[in-house]
Structure formats: C-alpha cells, structure tokens
Amino acid sequence: MNWVWVWIVLLWILYSGVVSIGVSRRPATVNIGAIFSLGTINGKVSKIAMDAAVHDVNADLSVLGGSKLVLSLHDSNLSGFSSIMGALQYMETDTIAIIGPQSSVMAHVISHLANELQVPLLSFTALDPTLSSLQYPFFVQTAPSDLYQMTAIAEMVSYYGWREVIAVYIDDDHGRNGIAALDDKLANHRCKISYKLPLPPGPGLSRELITNALVKLPLMESRVIVVHTFASSGRLVFEVAKILGMMDSGYVWIATTWLSTILESTSPLDPETTDSIQGVLTLRPHTPDSKKKRALISRWSNLSNGTIGLNAYGLYAYDTVWMIVYAVKAFFRQGSSISFSNDSNINDVIGGALNLKAMTIFDGGKQLLSNILHTNMTGLTGPIQYNSDRSLIRPAYDVINVIGNGFRQIGYWSNYSGLSVVPPETLYMKPSNRSFSNQQLHSVIWPGETIVTPRGWVFPSNGKRLRIGVPNRFSFRGFVSRVKGTDTFQGYCIDVFNAAVSLLPYAVPYTFIPFGNGLENPSYNDLVKSIALDVFDAAVGDIAIVTNRTKIVDFTQPYIESGLVVVAPVKKLNSSAWAFLRPFSPLMWGVTATFFLVVGTVVWVLEHRTNDEFRGPPKQQLATILWFSFSTLFSTHRENTVSGLGRLVVIIWLFVVLIITSSYTASLTSILTVQKLASPIKGIESLITGTQRIGFQVGSFAESYMVEQLDISRSRLIALGSPEEYAEALENGTVVAVVDELPYVQLFLSKECKFSTVGQEFTKRGWGFAFPRDSPLAIDMSTAILKLSENGDLQRIHDKWLMSSTCSSTSTELESDRLHLKSFWGLFLICGVACLVALLTYFCMMLRKFTRHNLQESQSPCTEGGSSRGRSFHTFLSFVDDKEEEKRSKSKRKSSVTNELEERGGTKEKHIDMAPDKRTNGDVYHDLIL
C-alpha cells in the first residue's frame, strides 16, 4: 500500500513538471493585428465585433491557458500606403496573425509581405476571387469569396429569363475581378454582360462623373444593371440613377453585398438614399439562426452605444478572431512556441533609413496557417470548415428586396441547391437538386412599384435602326419582293413581319436592305451567315429553319409550316370496264379468294359428321364447300352450322368479310366518283432508287438535304430558278420531278394544273425570322407571331397573298395506293389462327371418340381378335366420315345382337353362318370395313 502512494506522488510530480514546462513556454500575451478603415461601415462594425471577441476570449482562461490575447487595430483611413505601413509595423512587434486588409486591392499587396514573413493574413471583406491560394498561400478568406456571390447573381438573371446585363463597378482589383467572375458565370447560363461601366476608385468619384457615366445606359438595350462597388460610391450611383429616371418601371437593379451592409447597419437611412433604392435586389451573406448569434445581437446595442447596427460582416469579424484563437490553442498543444528569426532576404537589402532589420519571420507561421485551414468549429456564421481549395464549405446568401424604409427577404441562394425559398440548412439534409424547375423565389416589388417582372431589355433609343436583310428574289415574288424603283419590300413574309412588329410593346426602327441582285434567287445560307458576321441585325423572308442555320443564329417561332415535297407530272386516270378490280392489289385478291376456300373447307370438316347439309356424294359436297364459301360474302348461305367449332369459325370469318367488303365498297366508290390522277413517281422513295434527274429551286436547302441526307448524287440535280422553269423542265422531261418546299409548291400548283404532289411530305420544317444569337427581340417576336396566329391575322395574310388559283375548282387528287394485304393481314391472321385451332380441337375430339369406339369393338364377342390390332389410318378416316347418329345406332344394334347370342349360348360367327340372309346391308358394309 505504501508503494502505491509512492507511485502516485511520483506521477503527480512528473505531471506537474510537464504542465509547468508547457505553461512556461506560453507567452504572457498573444499579439494579433487588424488593418481597417474605421471611417467605413464595415470598419466600424468590425472593430466593435473584434473587440467583443477579444473580450470573450480573455474572459475564459481555459481558452489560451492563461495567455492574454492582444488585438492592435490600425486605421488605414482608406489609404493604400497607410495599410502597407500598418502591416510593416505589425511585423516589428511579434504579431502572429493579421486580420485584414479591408480591400482586395491592398490584400494583393500585403499578401506578398505575409508570404515573405510567414504571417497568416485573414480577411472577411477582401473577397476578390483572384486572391489565389497558390499565389498567396498565407492569405485566407474567412467569408465566402465573391465568386459565389457572382454565381448567385448569374443564377438570378437566368431564373428571371434575362439574357444580358450591364455591369457598373469600381475600376480596381475588387471591381474588375468580381465582374470578370460574373461574366464567366453568366456564360454558363447563355447570358452575358453587354456593357461594362467602370467608375474611378478613391475619393475622387463625384456625382458629376457618375452622371456622365450613367447617361449612356438608357441608350443601351439591356435594362438589367448589376452594381458592384463600395457603400459610399454605390449610394451615389443610385441617387444619380434616380435623378436620371432610371429607377422607374422596366429597370432591374441588382446590388452586391455592400447594399445589405448599409441596410443593416444604418438605420434610419436618409430619405434621399431610401427613395433611390426602391425595388432593388441585393445579397447578404447567409448566417443561420443560433443561440450564440442571438446573444451577440442582444449585446450589440451596449457594445456600439447605438451608433451603428450589426451586419453579417460583423459576425464574420467575431468568428475570425475565434478562428485565430483556436488555431493558436492547437499550436500550443502541438508543443510549438512563438518565436521569430531574421529574414536573410531582408538582410541582403538592409540600408538607408528603413528599419527592415526589425522585421522577422514567424517561425511557427506555417504550422499556425495549417491549423487555421483545418478549423472545424461552429461560430456565429454557422459551421466553419475549409474545402481542399481553401474555400469555406456551404457558401450561401439571402436574397433581399428593398421596400419602403426596410427590406424583405424573398429567398436564399446556396452553392448546394441554388435559389430556394427554404433555408439552406433544411436543404442540406436532402439530396442536392439544381434543376431549373426546382429554383424558386418569392414575388418581388420592382422599381416603379410594380410586381410584373420586367422584360429586362428595350430597343435602344440611340437613333440606330435595325439593319434587316431581305432576300431580293427573282421568282415566287408573292412571298417577298422588292417594289420596282423603291427601297421598299412587299409580300407575305413582309406583311407577317410588319404585323408582328406592330404588336411589340415598344418601337422598333428598322431598315430593309436587299440581299441579292434580283436576277436570281440568293443563297439563304449566305444571308444567315451575314447575321453572324454582323452585316445585318436580322433577316426577314422565306427563310427555312434548318439545323445548320440554328447553330449560328436564333430563329423566331415558325410563322408557316414548310417541308420538302415532290412535284411530278400527272395524268387523269379514266374509268374502264375493269375498274371494279382496282380497289384491291393482285395479292390482296389472291389471299382473299384463298381464304374463302380455306374457310369453306374448314367448316365442311367441322360440320360433315353431324350436319346432313354437308353430306352426300363427293360432287355435291364440293359444290357445298364452294357455295358456302362465297355465299358468306353476301350472308346468303342456306346451310346452317350446328357444331360449336363451326359456328366460331363462321362468326370470325363473317367479321373479316364485313371489313373487307366495307373497305372495297368505299374504295370503289371513290374510284368511280372522284377524278383520279396517276404518276409513275410515287414519292421520294422512287427518286432515291431511280436514276432520273431531279429539279430543285436555286438557293433552297433542298439541294444539300438530298445530297447529304438522302445520298442522291449531285450530278442528278438540276437547278431551276422560277415556276416557269419548273413547268418547262417537267413537260419536256428534263427532270422527272421537282423537290421543293411546300409553300412554293402550293403557289406553283395554284396555276399549273398538269402537275401534282406525289407521296408524302418528307421533312418537317418551318419559316422564321433570323436574329443574332441570344437576341431578346427573337423571343418577343415569337410571342407576337403566336398572337397573330391566335387572333386569325396570320391566316388572313396567308389568304391575301397565297390563295389565288387559276385551276379548276374541281376536286382532284393523286391516285391513292390500292388496298394492300399489309392493311388487312391482321384480320387474316386472326381468321387463320381460329381455323387452325378449330381443326386441332376437332382432331383431338375425333381421336378420343375413335379410341373409345375401338375399345368397345375389342370388348364385343362378335369382333374378331385380329381386327383391333389391325387398326389403320384408313379405319380412322372411315370413322370420321360416318355420321354421328349412324355410329350410335350401330353400337346399339351390336349390343342387342350380342346379348341375344349370349342368351342362346352361341357366337357371332355361328349367327352369321346360320342366318346369313338376315344380315342388313349396313352390317355387311361394317364387316367389310373391319
């Protein structure tokens, strides 16, 4: 027992020594620095929040084990030079970490100093996406990078269906790099920044400079404006925009997080600022509700003396201090100590009045940085951890709509699930869903106090007129043609375009510019390419929407359906004495006749044994089969079916006959009452397999389609320029057919009655107006075209230009294909299967009866022993051929004779020998068979 106490004392002495050594290695104070402009909103809020964090750390002696945290704050006063000097001063005072700087511009500069002296630099306001961890390894962003803020804005733009935005930004690293990130994110959603408006940084920015810059925006097309500035300059931007009338309905303003800091920290706002930001959307870093957060909010009024409100970046300031504290605590636990050494690189340049020798390298800087990057804590801003790319996990923002004297939260954005009206914390517990249908935001009150989502663009009021290319056609001038001696155009396509433009809610000045010489039809592919090359702003005409064109331009909704059809010469198909054979093809006639005979035969087999009407001499039975078969065509057969199987077959066959006769009657009626046209060409299939020459319209996509898609040799294609050339080439046999788009063909056939379309339309296309890629005008014109279709104006324009016809009004149509077996093979299959099943069933029944009959014969005393063993197929046929009632009567007679003989004690043979003259003819026939 005494030894136990000795060991306890020794262990206690050893532990006390280790602890005393650890405590002795810890410094009395841990120095950290901060560089902020205390005259700014974020500077004021950050100072109060960091002081509160330092107080809370020092109040808990268990955190740093007795060491005191000392925070030195340097006021940079918005001066880059002052920020640099502040950082240099910290390097002379054994500072282990620096919070700041406040701006991204200075972060780029001071990070080089932090890299050299290995002092971690932490900032929650310098959020430039280009502050790379590879270039600046000792710089750590403790709030979400602006990369995520720009991602959120890009998804908002896409959510509301806008395609272009204008960017207003401060022309420094913070502004340029943030807008560059926005441009990249917009491109992911097929959106873009159409105009960039940089503003000079620093205090030199005045109302006059902002006014001179903003007056350009109403001349632009886009009405979606993103403002990425600082609080002071952003206020001026909105106040000037209000004066210029740019805060009215139709405009969309999206501000980055600088505006939410003003809204939260400045209350109340001055009336001028409040009035100028109505309807603006802005973002605020999302921080989930928690007990710790509510505790600081309740203390804030006392901490700030009511001078300023707490904003999200104040929460990040508080957490940043604690991140450093936990990293230092882990640093001490790892057995490290705070020490500094001279920098050999600095010693090489010592000289002059600069006291560079005082700056030393923090020996434990890499270890402390590693501890910071491995932070795993829950702060006021939520869970704090870093990904492998040194970005915070789960970045999220609140989407805010400024209304009246305050604001309303309309939703959230998170990198996990995009836009939603559900807090991100709830969505983190579900599978990620970034689909467009899952994106949601509450309703917004937009500038001008409207709840209607702005279109996001208008036609620019800069006096520029749209340059619209119009094909200067030589033929089919009913679609589009240039009025001789003028620069105006007319035609079906022109009237549709003018009618659609008149429905737009804004004025669209435009000028038609002819494309082509008017002596031949121009290339429509070249016309479309001219839009992509910025020769034209749009193209109007009979332009087919085909795949290769949609790759370089955007088309409107088709205003007329189109597709390729085949036109060929036709001749009248006159009636003849054999016209009644025309409804069915020869194969159809042959199969139908065969089935008549098959069904008659099957019914005879099924009825022969039980039905007297299907018995008799062979000639009579053959006649019965033929008569019954073909009389079913008219339902006049006199023979009745008595067996169940026979009735089943007849019912199915009568249904087949009903369908066939109805189809025949309808087709024959059409042949005899409607004028028919015939052509050796039956459709595009005939042209593909043939070798004849084929005509097409100059400039049409029909040529490339036939060559590339149908593998028709280009040498077989003949270019034709007008309807007159169509008719001439078809009449003299230069081409066997013409392939062209349906609207042209319809116009051609309205005056040429000797030709007709053959086969079916083999492509589905449409005509539309072409605009540059991502043009919002294409969307609005599509909506206008749909309105024209709904109110009937589109049809009226069509009737005006395309309904004239000089052909006879007599209804004519191309000879339709005959009725072929492929249209009825299902019926014949059903009937054939029914016949086969009936025959198999009948055969099984007969086999069973025959077996039972033979069993009775073998048991009869009158039957010879060898007879049962000599059964044959001929015997079975004889059994089947006998009538059912006759078989039954024979069996009864045999039974009576057998009984009588047994009573007399005789045999069948004796009976036959003793009384041969008493045997009936039936008995003799039966004995011969057996």
Side-chain angles (χ1 to χ4, degrees), residues 610-626:
T610 57
N611 194 338
D612 290 336
E613 295 181 352
F614 288 87
R615 301 184 62 83
K619 290 184 179 180
Q620 181 181 344
Q621 295 185 45
L622 178 62
T624 300
I625 292 174
L626 294 176

Side-chain angles (χ1 to χ4, degrees), residues 143-163:
S145 166
D146 280 345
L147 176 67
Y148 298 107
Q149 181 176 198
M150 297 309 171
T151 303
I153 293 175
E155 293 192 14
M156 289 167 60
V157 171
S158 176
Y159 171 77
Y160 287 112
W162 304 316
R163 287 291 172 261

Side-chain angles (χ1 to χ4, degrees), residues 752-818:
E752 297 289 344
C753 306
K754 294 176 291 184
F755 313 102
S756 180
T757 58
V758 293
Q760 300 295 322
E761 184 178 353
F762 57 92
T763 65
K764 290 295 182 182
R765 294 288 189 273
W767 289 355
F769 305 130
F771 292 88
R773 294 298 295 268
D774 301 323
S775 171
L777 187 57
I779 299 175
D780 287 355
M781 285 292 288
S782 294
T783 303
I785 290 172
L786 290 175
K787 291 181 180 178
L788 290 176
S789 177
E790 292 170 357
N791 61 26
D793 288 344
L794 200 60
Q795 184 62 44
R796 283 189 284 271
I797 297 173
H798 178 276
D799 296 343
K800 171 185 174 182
W801 289 96
L802 307 179
M803 288 301 291
S804 59
S805 176
T806 58
C807 292
S808 171
S809 59
T810 303
S811 173
T812 62
E813 61 181 51
L814 188 66
E815 178 190 12
S816 59
D817 291 338
R818 288 177 169 182

Side-chain angles (χ1 to χ4, degrees), residues 81-103:
F81 178 77
S82 178
S83 297
I84 296 174
M85 295 309 296
L88 291 173
Q89 290 174 5
Y90 288 138
M91 300 307 175
E92 299 177 358
T93 58
D94 295 344
T95 300
I96 65 169
I98 298 174
I99 301 175
Q102 187 171 340
S103 70

Side-chain angles (χ1 to χ4, degrees), residues 551-765:
K551 294 178 180 179
I552 57 176
V553 298
D554 282 348
F555 282 93
T556 62
Q557 172 82 14
Y559 58 87
I560 187 174
E561 291 186 359
S562 177
L564 293 179
V565 294
V566 178
V567 180
V570 294
K571 61 180 180 179
K572 292 183 179 180
L573 194 63
N574 297 322
S575 298
S576 65
W578 303 100
F580 67 90
L581 296 176
R582 201 177 296 162
F584 286 165
S585 64
L587 180 60
M588 180 65 182
W589 279 116
V591 172
T592 303
T594 301
F595 261 82
F596 271 109
L597 296 176
V598 168
V599 171
T601 302
V602 170
V603 172
W604 176 83
V605 170
L606 299 176
E607 296 290 324
H608 175 70
R609 200 162 182 269
T610 57
N611 194 338
D612 290 336
E613 295 181 352
F614 288 87
R615 301 184 62 83
K619 290 184 179 180
Q620 181 181 344
Q621 295 185 45
L622 178 62
T624 300
I625 292 174
L626 294 176
W627 167 254
F628 181 84
S629 299
F630 291 99
S631 63
T632 56
L633 184 64
F634 312 101
S635 299
T636 58
H637 53 281
R638 63 175 181 271
E639 295 81 7
N640 294 320
T641 53
V642 296
S643 67
L645 292 175
R647 290 174 177 176
L648 175 64
V649 171
V650 170
I651 289 174
I652 295 176
W653 175 242
L654 289 177
F655 175 74
V656 175
V657 169
L658 175 65
I659 300 300
I660 292 175
T661 54
S662 300
S663 302
Y664 175 86
T665 304
S667 181
L668 182 62
T669 302
S670 176
I671 290 173
L672 298 178
T673 58
V674 179
Q675 183 182 5
K676 292 288 179 177
L677 304 176
S679 171
I681 303 299
K682 300 302 181 183
I684 189 62
E685 295 80 7
S686 302
L687 299 180
I688 294 175
T689 57
T691 59
Q692 308 96 326
R693 292 182 178 273
I694 306 168
F696 68 93
Q697 183 184 170
V698 175
S700 171
F701 75 95
E703 178 186 14
S704 60
Y705 184 86
M706 287 188 285
V707 173
E708 298 172 5
Q709 302 296 326
L710 304 180
D711 294 327
I712 296 176
S713 174
R714 195 179 296 272
S715 60
R716 294 177 55 197
L717 305 182
I718 303 296
L720 304 173
S722 66
E724 292 74 19
E725 292 185 23
Y726 283 16
E728 182 180 356
L730 290 170
E731 285 180 347
N732 59 28
T734 304
V735 297
V736 69
V738 172
V739 174
D740 203 354
E741 295 178 66
L742 182 60
Y744 301 125
V745 170
Q746 290 175 338
L747 193 60
F748 170 69
L749 296 180
S750 66
K751 299 180 181 179
E752 297 289 344
C753 306
K754 294 176 291 184
F755 313 102
S756 180
T757 58
V758 293
Q760 300 295 322
E761 184 178 353
F762 57 92
T763 65
K764 290 295 182 182
R765 294 288 189 273

Side-chain angles (χ1 to χ4, degrees), residues 16-44:
S16 299
V18 172
V19 172
S20 62
I21 292 173
V23 172
S24 65
R25 295 178 63 183
R26 295 192 179 187
T29 60
V30 176
N31 298 318
I32 63 174
I35 302 174
F36 280 88
S37 297
L38 299 183
T40 63
I41 292 176
N42 280 337
K44 295 176 182 178

Side-chain angles (χ1 to χ4, degrees), residues 161-181:
W162 304 316
R163 287 291 172 261
E164 296 182 1
V165 303
I166 295 173
V168 179
Y169 60 97
I170 295 297
D171 193 15
D172 60 9
D173 291 338
H174 167 75
R176 286 191 301 269
N177 296 330
I179 294 302

